[in-house]
Amino acid sequence: MSSSLSLNNALLLSLPFLQAALANPLHHRAQNSTCTKTKVVVLGAGMAGITAAQTLHNASIEDFVIVDVNDYIGGRVRHTNFGKDGNGEPYVVELGANWVQGLGSEGGPENPIWTLAKKWGINNTYSNYSSIETYDQTGASDYTSYFDEYETAYATVEQDAGTILTQNYQDRTMRTGFSIADWKPMKNMQKQAIEWWEFDWEYAYPPDQSSQTFSIVNYNTTFYQWSDENNFVIDQRGFNAFIIGEASTFLKPNDTRLQLSKNITSITYSNNGVTITSTDGSCIQADYAICTFSLGVLQNDIVSFSPALPAWKQTGIEGMQMGTYTKIFFQFPANADGSYFWEKGATDPTTQFYLYADPISRGYYPVFQSLTAPGFLPGSGIFFVTVVSTQSYIAEQQSDSATKAQIMEVLRVMFGKENVPEPLDFMYPRWSTESWAMGSYSNWPPGMSLETHQNLRANLGRLWFAGEATSAEYFGFLQGELVALFPLPSYTPSGEDFAPQIRLLTLVDVGAYTEGQAVGNTIAGCINKNKTTCKNEASYEVIQGCTTSERQLSPNNGWYVSSFLTYGFEE
C-alpha cells in the first residue's frame, strides 16, 4: 500500500522556518569573549535533540539553545538529491534512516514515529519482504525454502532468549543460539545470504557479534509490540520533514535558539553546570546540557570532556557497538520498452528485493532494492544495494570507481553481462568516516549487561545523555530517540507459547518512554524543582558478572516496556 497523506498548515510553515534559520547563520561572540548563558543547551538537532527541546518547551521552559554541527535539522535522518527525472529534476533519496518500522495494531499501542509520519504527511510505501527473488553465481537460483528453515530456528532462539532474560542466565551470541536451534549455515553461501537478509540487514552486525538476549528484546519491542510492517519513506521533501515539522511547533523563524553549522570541540561539566566550546571560539554556559551525540562520536574522542570521563562511563560507551549501514545508489537507463534490466530478469517485474549469495564472501553486495516497483518511484531507474559492517568499511574506504566496478560485476553475474548497461548516476554516503556520526546506529554485543548499558545512559553531574544508543530496548531504531506519545494499556501475560518465559515478568505500566523525552522530562523537573522527576540516573562503578537479574529490568535502567508484548505478533 502507498501512504501519501495531506500536509497540515504547520508543515507548510516549517520549511520556510528552516530556510530562514539557514539563511541567517548565527555567529555568537568573538573568541575569548563572555560565553552565552542559558538554562539548557541541547547538543544535536536530530530526533533526540529536537524531542528533548520540545519536552522542555512543553514544560514551559523556553531558555534553551540547540546546537548542531550540520546545516539542517535531522541528524542521521539525512537525504540528498540523486539522479534526474524526465524533466531534469533530481530525485530525493535517504542516506540514513529510511523506514518506519513497526506501525501499530488494532487494540495495541502505535509506534510514535508512525504517529508523527501521519501527522506530517510523510509519503511512504509498504515494503513487502515476500516480494523477493534469489540469485547466486549462476544467476537466478531459487533457495527461498531456506527462509522457512531459518524462521523455525529463530522461533527456538527467541524462546530461549526469554528464558535467559527471566531466569538470569548468562547471555550468549546469536550464533550460539542459532547453532543450538540447529541453524548452521557454515559454508552454504545460500544459507549465509538468507541469514544476512534476516539478521545482519537489521542489526548491521553478524550473529557472531550480537547478543542473543538483547537482539530478541530489540526486535520484539518494535515488531511484536506494534506490528511487523515496515514502510519505506519516499517523501521528496526528505524523511526529516516530520522532525522539522515538530521543531516548528516550538521554534520561530530565525529563532536564535537554533544554532546550526556549529562544531563543538569540548565539554566541561560539573555538579553546578556545563560549558560548551566550539571551533569558532564561542562558548555556551548552561545550567544543564543534553548530549545527543552518536555513539560513534563518543567512542572516537571527537569531542573532549573535562574532567575526563570516569572509567565506569567510558566502559559503558566502549561496551556498546556502533554499526555501519551503507546504501549504494545507481540510476540506470530504461530499455526501449520502458522497462529496466532487473524487471526483465525477474519472474515478477514488480519485485521489490533481489538477494545475491556470493560464492566466497558473506555479505558481499547481497541485497538490491528496486525503486521502480509500484508505489515507490516508478520510472526513476533507481536501484540500490545495501552493505553493512566489514563490507561497509571496505566500500567507504575505497574509491567510488572501485565500488562501482565491484557492484557492476555482481549485477552482470546476476542478470547477464549483456543485459546490464552503464549507470547514469552513482552515489553512496560514507557514514563511518563522517566525524559527526562515525557510523550509522548502535548494536548490543554479547555479554554486555544492562548495568553496563545503563552507565552509557547515566548523567555526569549536570551533563545528560540521550539518543538511540542509550535506549535499552529500541537501540538502533529511530523510535529509540523519541517518546511514545500515548501510555501503554496494562498488560497481563498469557498464552501457552510464551508462558515459560514470561511468568516472572510484569509490565511497567507507563508510557514507552525513550531517550529524548525522558531526559527532557528529568531536566524540566530539576529546573521546576520537582523532586519526584529530578533524579540522577543510576550508575554502577563496579559490575560483577555478565548476567541481568529480573530486578534490574526497571525504568531506573532504561527498561520501560515489556519485551513480551504481542499486540503486533502474527503466527
Side-chain angles (χ1 to χ4, degrees), residues 252-368:
K252 295 174 257 180
N254 299 312
D255 202 315
T256 57
R257 294 176 299 173
L258 177 63
Q259 301 187 21
L260 301 177
S261 301
K262 198 173 189 69
N263 191 8
I264 297 165
T265 57
S266 66
I267 300 173
T268 301
Y269 64 93
S270 71
N271 290 326
N272 299 314
V274 182
T275 300
I276 309 299
T277 305
S278 302
T279 52
D280 62 4
S282 66
C283 57
I284 300 172
Q285 287 182 345
D287 293 344
Y288 298 89
I290 303 174
C291 178
T292 70
F293 295 157
S294 81
L295 177 67
V297 168
L298 296 176
Q299 288 179 334
N300 286 279
D301 304 323
I302 304 298
V303 176
S304 64
F305 291 86
S306 180
L309 299 179
W312 60 264
K313 182 69 176 180
Q314 194 67 44
T315 300
I317 291 170
E318 300 296 346
M320 200 69 169
Q321 295 172 329
M322 190 64 174
T324 300
Y325 182 108
T326 309
K327 289 176 285 187
I328 304 173
F329 293 89
F330 289 80
Q331 184 181 39
F332 285 102
N335 296 317
D337 62 0
S339 66
Y340 295 91
F341 68 82
W342 56 91
E343 298 171 341
K344 286 284 191 181
T347 303
D348 180 357
T350 66
T351 296
Q352 293 185 20
F353 300 100
Y354 302 79
L355 179 63
Y356 173 67
D358 187 80
I360 298 172
S361 298
R362 182 183 186 279
Y364 186 77
Y365 305 116
V367 174
F368 291 83

Side-chain angles (χ1 to χ4, degrees), residues 160-171 213-214 449-451 501 504 544-553:
D160 287 349
T163 301
I164 293 170
L165 184 67
T166 58
Q167 299 296 320
N168 193 22
Y169 293 163
Q170 187 177 36
D171 188 25
T213 306
F214 288 95
S449 68
L450 192 61
E451 295 91 337
Q501 285 71 44
L504 299 178
Q544 296 177 329
C546 57
T547 57
T548 297
S549 67
E550 186 191 356
R551 63 185 172 80
Q552 296 296 339
L553 303 181

Side-chain angles (χ1 to χ4, degrees), residues 1-265:
M1 70 178 174
S2 178
S3 175
S4 181
L5 306 170
S6 62
L7 294 174
N8 61 25
N9 291 334
L11 182 56
L12 295 177
L13 295 174
S14 72
L15 297 181
F17 141 76
L18 178 58
Q19 292 165 359
L22 298 183
N24 296 280
L26 216 60
H27 298 290
H28 262 301
R29 308 290 193 270
Q31 190 169 0
N32 299 324
S33 65
T34 303
C35 294
T36 300
K37 292 182 172 57
T38 187
K39 281 284 185 186
V40 186
V41 59
V42 180
L43 307 180
M47 188 74 261
I50 294 301
T51 302
Q54 186 179 45
T55 303
L56 295 173
H57 166 79
N58 291 342
S60 300
I61 297 168
E62 305 296 346
D63 186 6
F64 59 82
V65 174
I66 307 169
V67 181
D68 198 286
V69 67
N70 292 308
D71 63 359
Y72 63 92
I73 288 173
R76 284 169 279 164
V77 185
R78 185 184 187 187
H79 61 268
T80 192
N81 292 337
F82 176 71
K84 292 180 181 178
D85 64 17
N87 297 318
E89 295 296 321
Y91 292 97
V92 169
V93 295
E94 299 296 331
L95 301 175
N98 215 145
W99 278 268
V100 182
Q101 297 186 277
L103 309 186
S105 56
E106 186 176 354
E110 184 172 270
N111 184 340
I113 302 300
W114 180 234
T115 303
L116 293 176
K118 291 187 294 183
K119 174 182 177 181
W120 296 104
I122 299 299
N123 194 8
N124 59 90
T125 298
Y126 173 64
S127 283
N128 181 4
Y129 293 124
S130 297
S131 178
I132 181 173
E133 302 212 3
T134 54
Y135 296 77
D136 61 15
Q137 72 275 16
T138 66
S141 178
D142 185 5
Y143 47 91
T144 54
S145 62
Y146 290 138
F147 282 116
D148 289 339
E149 187 176 332
Y150 175 93
E151 293 292 346
T152 298
Y154 185 87
T156 298
V157 171
E158 64 182 357
Q159 293 288 314
D160 287 349
T163 301
I164 293 170
L165 184 67
T166 58
Q167 299 296 320
N168 193 22
Y169 293 163
Q170 187 177 36
D171 188 25
R172 56 197 181 201
T173 67
M174 277 294 292
R175 173 65 64 217
T176 301
F178 280 138
S179 294
I180 291 171
D182 205 30
W183 171 261
K184 301 178 181 182
M186 304 296 284
K187 297 298 182 182
N188 184 325
M189 300 309 287
Q190 293 179 341
K191 282 189 173 183
Q192 291 281 12
I194 295 292
E195 182 181 89
W196 192 101
W197 161 276
E198 295 275 12
F199 192 87
D200 299 42
W201 197 22
E202 188 69 55
Y203 297 96
Y205 273 93
D208 316 66
Q209 296 175 263
S210 302
S211 161
Q212 177 179 345
T213 306
F214 288 95
S215 294
I216 299 298
V217 164
N218 182 250
Y219 185 92
N220 287 5
T221 51
T222 285
F223 296 112
Y224 284 5
Q225 178 189 186
W226 292 319
S227 73
D228 63 358
E229 294 169 289
N230 288 268
N231 280 25
F232 186 88
V233 172
I234 51 173
D235 200 296
Q236 294 302 285
R237 297 165 298 166
F239 194 3
N240 68 333
F242 84 92
I243 307 177
I244 296 170
E246 287 300 293
S248 73
T249 65
F250 63 92
L251 292 176
K252 295 174 257 180
N254 299 312
D255 202 315
T256 57
R257 294 176 299 173
L258 177 63
Q259 301 187 21
L260 301 177
S261 301
K262 198 173 189 69
N263 191 8
I264 297 165
T265 57

Side-chain angles (χ1 to χ4, degrees), residues 395 397-407 426-428 430:
Q397 289 293 334
Q398 67 189 12
S399 67
D400 280 16
S401 59
T403 300
K404 182 167 72 171
Q406 290 172 346
I407 299 171
F426 173 80
M427 176 276 299
Y428 63 99
R430 288 172 164 81

